[in-house]
Each structure stands twice: as C-alpha cells, then as structure tokens.
Amino acid sequence: MPFSILAFATFRVANMLDFNSHDLSEHLSALVDTAMEREAAMLPPRAYLGASSLGDDCARRLQFQYFDTPKDIGRHFPGRVLRVFARGHRVEDWMADWLRLAGFDLRARNDQGEQHGFAAAQGRVRGHADGVIVAGPDSFRYPMLWENKAVGAKTFRELRKKRLAASRPVYATQVALYQAYLGLYEHPALFTAICTDDMSIYAERVTFDRGMAQRASDRAVEILRACDAAELLPRISTTPTHHTCRFCPWQDRCWSLPH
Ligand code: SF4
C-alpha cells in the first residue's frame, strides 16, 4: 500500500510536535529560570547568622554567608534548584494543614502575626521556626516546637535508619537552638520530614539537647568575634577536593586566599 499523503502529513506533524515540545521545554525553562534567578538576586542580603546553618561543618563558610560574600562564578542557585526550595515551602504548608486536619492545634505565627522566631547577639543571630503546637492528640505533650523538612528519598531513608541527630546534625542543631531560644525545651519537639518522591511521612520526638544548643550558641559567638576582627577562621580541610569544599559556593575564593 502506497504511503498516503495523509500518513505522511501525520508522520511529519508528529515529529514536528516532538521536536517542538523539546525545544519549547528548553525555551520556557530558560524564561522561567532567568526570571527566578533575577528575583533571587534582588532579595536583600541576610546580615545575620541563621540558626538553620549554624550546624554547618565549616565555620569559614558561615563567615562568607554572614558577610553575604558573592558566590563564585557559576555557583549561584540555578532556577531548577530555586524551584526545589519553593517546593519545600509548599510541602511545609501542606504538612501544617495535614497536622491541623489530624487534630493538632499548630500555630505557624505568634499573637503578633509574625513567624515564631528569635534574635540574639543584637540581631546578628536569628532563627525562624516552622511552628509551635499547643494542643492535640494525647500521645504528645504541649507546647512543642514543630520543624519540618521536605527531603529526597536518600535523606528520608537515612532519617529512618539513623534518626535526626546522627543523620542530619545541621537540622538537629537548628531544632535545639529553636527549643532553647523560644523556651520550648520542656517537652520534646516534633520533627517531621516528607519524602518528596512518594509523600511518606517521617516523625520523631526530639528531646532537648542542651549541650548541642550551647555549642551552637558558643560557635555563633566565636564566628561573630572573628568577623568583627576581620579574622578568617580555619578551613574545614587541607584540600579543595574535600567533599564539603566541592559543593561550597565559595570554593574558588576560599582556596585562592593565602591561608
Ligand atoms: S571551600 Fe571548604 S574550607 Fe572553604 S569555605 Fe567552603 S567549605 Fe569551608
């Protein structure tokens, strides 16, 4: 049977559509990426040490963060990663809604309508918690801090296997600091994580770790002291190929310095 004009046209259109849709995806992604990256670049600098990063392995990296030091060329968050962050915020809102649906009285904001947070060291150390749960099912004690993360399958598996403090010490430090500074240390905090691959829920009661909070607080004081004295704190490693350095947005800048 001869190849009909109609079949030929259908074949051509199908292939054009394939080509066009690939092309269009790239084109549209580029437009969205550019807009998101432009928006991110316009955010005001964060002139404080955040509780969410005080558990970071490298004190020097925290200094770069504190000074809002420009990242190395090509090390800014691309649009795709910014969308991953945006997804985390939405997932947090959903989790708050689901906890309320399950009977928890979760307050994401205080009586003044502000996010629960703290400021110490003249505002140079700050943190903003996801929420405080003041009542709910009898199996928990209130009030308790609530902190949530949206995580990939690998982190989710590690949380289940090793629990929060051993698998994600940066998150654990963040929780300990919020408990300390918000006065929510009497009862264990509720840490939840949502697996973004299949939306499974991980939950852990986190008993206040006073030592961890104190160490993080002392570290913040030391970092601020060094920043005030224009003193660069030691690198975390002796080689730029160390796994922490390889993913550091200041890798080139850091290793171009004399010490
Ligand atoms: S490159 Fe390495 S040592 Fe330097 S700031 Fe980054 S993580 Fe720290």
Side-chain angles (χ1 to χ4, degrees):
M1 191 170 145
F3 194 60
S4 75
I5 292 193
L6 181 61
F8 176 71
T10 307
F11 171 80
R12 245 195 111 197
V13 167
N15 279 284
M16 279 170 66
L17 282 176
D18 272 355
F19 173 75
N20 281 340
S21 94
H22 173 69
D23 205 34
L24 188 63
S25 302
E26 287 204 347
H27 174 59
L28 193 71
S29 298
L31 288 174
V32 172
D33 285 356
T34 304
M36 291 184 76
E37 288 160 22
R38 193 189 314 120
E39 186 184 61
M42 288 170 65
L43 290 174
R46 201 181 73 161
Y48 61 85
L49 285 174
S52 57
S53 52
L54 266 173
D56 190 312
D57 290 344
C58 183
R60 180 178 294 201
R61 182 157 64 184
L62 289 170
Q63 287 187 285
F64 285 138
Q65 267 179 30
Y66 177 72
F67 284 123
D68 200 35
T69 309
K71 297 183 172 83
D72 295 346
I73 292 169
R75 291 291 190 122
H76 288 88
F77 293 126
R80 189 193 63 76
V81 174
L82 293 171
R83 288 193 284 285
V84 171
F85 293 160
R87 178 182 64 180
H89 296 312
R90 288 294 165 92
V91 168
E92 179 190 314
D93 290 342
W94 290 339
M95 188 64 202
D97 288 344
W98 297 329
L99 285 171
R100 291 188 185 107
L101 196 64
F104 292 93
D105 185 352
L106 189 162
R107 315 272 174 94
R109 301 196 169 263
N110 62 22
D111 293 342
Q112 288 74 47
E114 297 159 349
Q115 197 178 358
H116 294 281
F118 74 89
Q122 295 82 47
R124 299 202 294 166
V125 180
R126 292 173 191 239
H128 301 92
D130 289 340
V132 178
I133 302 177
V134 297
D138 292 342
S139 40
F140 295 84
R141 297 172 69 202
Y142 309 96
M144 66 177 173
L145 176 84
W146 173 61
E147 189 61 28
N148 182 76
K149 301 289 177 197
V151 301
K154 178 170 175 282
T155 300
F156 194 81
R157 276 196 305 274
E158 288 175 3
L159 278 166
R160 287 175 102 159
K161 192 169 165 199
K162 299 194 262 177
R163 298 173 66 81
L164 181 66
S167 69
R168 288 294 177 274
V170 176
Y171 296 165
T173 302
Q174 185 182 3
V175 169
L177 282 169
Y178 292 157
Q179 285 177 293
Y181 281 103
L182 296 177
L184 290 166
Y185 43 78
E186 198 177 332
H187 304 140
L190 175 63
F191 174 82
T192 53
I194 306 289
C195 177
T196 51
D197 289 47
D198 66 2
M199 300 306 279
S200 300
I201 293 173
Y202 172 80
E204 181 177 331
R205 285 187 181 87
V206 184
T207 303
F208 178 51
D209 186 334
R210 189 177 300 276
M212 181 181 281
Q214 189 63 56
R215 284 192 298 280
S217 192
D218 293 346
R219 190 168 191 233
V221 170
E222 169 58 11
I223 291 167
L224 290 175
R225 185 207 59 74
C227 289
D228 290 346
E231 176 192 320
L232 214 47
L233 288 168
R235 297 184 180 104
I236 192 179
S237 73
T238 54
T239 165
T241 54
H242 184 275
H243 65 91
T244 305
C245 299
R246 274 193 288 129
F247 299 103
C248 175
W250 296 282
Q251 184 191 32
D252 295 343
R253 179 185 295 274
C254 175
W255 288 92
S256 68
L257 296 168
H259 59 86

